[in-house]
Amino acid sequence: MDTTITSPKTELLKAKQKAEHLFRETEQRRLIRAGVTERELSNQIYELAKELFGIKKYWHKRVVRAGINTLCPYRENPPNLTIQDGDLVFLDFGPVFEDWEADLGRTFLVGHAPDKQAIIDDLEKVFQQAKQYYLNKPNMTGKELFNYVVNCSKQPGWLYGGPHAGHLIGVFPHEKHLGECPDNYICTGNNKPMNDLDVKGQQRHWILEVHLVEPERQYGAFYEDLLTI
C-alpha cells in the first residue's frame, strides 16, 4: 500500500472501526465467559479476527487479562488464569489492517458484580475527560497529560495502574520507524509537546490509555482508544 498518498487519519479511523467490530463480535458470540483460560480466549479471538478480516498480523502481543491479572500492566507476563464468574476481563489487541495499526482496549464483566461494574463505568469517563483536556491544549507535553490522567483516576476513588497513559500509533511498524523512547509515550519522561511533528516531519497520532486499579489492589480495568482522531 502506498501510504504517501493515503490520509493517516482516514486509515487509522478505519482500522479502529474494524477493531471495534471485532470486539462487538467477541461479545455477541459470547467468547468472554467463565471456564476458559486467558490464552484460550486470546486464541479464539485470533481465529475470529482471521474469519472476519483475514488478520494474522499484530503489532504488539495480544493481551487478555482476568481476575488478579487485571492489575498487571502490558509489559508483565502473569500466569495464564482461568476466567471465573464475577471476573473482570480486559482485552488489549493491536491488529494490523493493510499496514495500519489499530490499538483498542476494553474491559468486560463476567456475571454480576456491581462494585466491579463501577470501575468499568468510570473508565470511559476518565478517558473522555482526559481526551477533552488534550484537545483543548494539544501542545501539552506527554508528562502533563500523564499527570492529568493519574489525577482523574483518583477522583472516583481508583489508583492508576500503568507506567504510562498511551503511545504513538501509525503505519506498521511505527516503533521501528519512530524509535522506542519516552518522547513516544504519554509518560513522566516526555517533556516534548505532543503535537510536535515526528522525525519524518509528519503529524503524530496518539493512543490514550486508562488503567484503573481498585485501592486494595484486588482488580483493575483497562480502556484505550485513539486520542488525536
Side-chain angles (χ1 to χ4, degrees), residues 85-105:
D85 188 52
D87 271 353
L88 289 169
V89 178
F90 76 66
L91 311 179
D92 178 5
F93 285 77
V96 177
F97 299 94
E98 299 175 348
D99 289 336
W100 289 92
E101 300 165 347
D103 202 4
L104 207 67

Side-chain angles (χ1 to χ4, degrees), residues 13-180:
L13 185 57
K14 285 164 59 178
K16 160 191 158 72
Q17 291 168 342
K18 289 177 181 178
E20 288 175 330
H21 180 61
L22 173 61
F23 275 41
R24 286 194 300 271
E25 284 291 320
T26 297
E27 279 195 281
Q28 291 171 4
R29 300 191 189 198
R30 301 183 185 277
L31 298 184
I32 307 169
R33 63 203 187 280
V36 298
T37 68
E38 295 165 324
R39 189 171 298 125
E40 287 170 338
L41 176 55
S42 176
N43 291 338
Q44 289 169 6
I45 297 174
Y46 175 80
E47 292 300 324
L48 177 59
K50 282 202 299 184
E51 173 193 329
L52 294 174
F53 303 109
I55 299 171
K56 297 181 181 179
K57 183 164 59 177
Y58 291 76
W59 72 270
H60 70 64
K61 68 180 181 182
R62 302 190 308 278
V63 175
V64 175
R65 299 268 163 84
I68 197 71
N69 284 353
T70 56
L71 299 176
C72 299
Y74 168 83
R75 294 193 184 278
E76 294 188 24
N77 294 293
N80 181 33
L81 296 183
T82 298
I83 298 170
Q84 308 292 329
D85 188 52
D87 271 353
L88 289 169
V89 178
F90 76 66
L91 311 179
D92 178 5
F93 285 77
V96 177
F97 299 94
E98 299 175 348
D99 289 336
W100 289 92
E101 300 165 347
D103 202 4
L104 207 67
R106 296 290 188 271
T107 301
F108 306 88
L109 176 61
V110 179
H112 180 70
D115 55 334
K116 293 179 179 177
Q117 183 61 49
I119 198 171
I120 295 178
D121 294 342
D122 284 334
L123 276 172
E124 190 168 3
K125 293 177 185 177
V126 173
F127 178 92
Q128 293 298 340
Q129 189 175 351
K131 181 170 183 174
Q132 190 58 54
Y133 182 71
Y134 167 80
L135 292 177
N136 289 339
K137 186 185 174 185
N139 65 335
M140 72 175 63
T141 66
K143 178 179 180 179
E144 181 179 347
L145 183 55
F146 176 78
N147 289 336
Y148 185 82
V149 172
V150 171
N151 289 332
C152 286
S153 301
K154 293 177 181 178
Q155 291 172 11
W158 311 111
L159 303 176
Y160 192 75
H164 62 79
H167 52 79
L168 292 176
I169 194 167
V171 179
F172 176 80
H174 84 269
E175 290 176 321
K176 181 177 179 181
H177 293 319
L178 303 178
E180 183 85 10

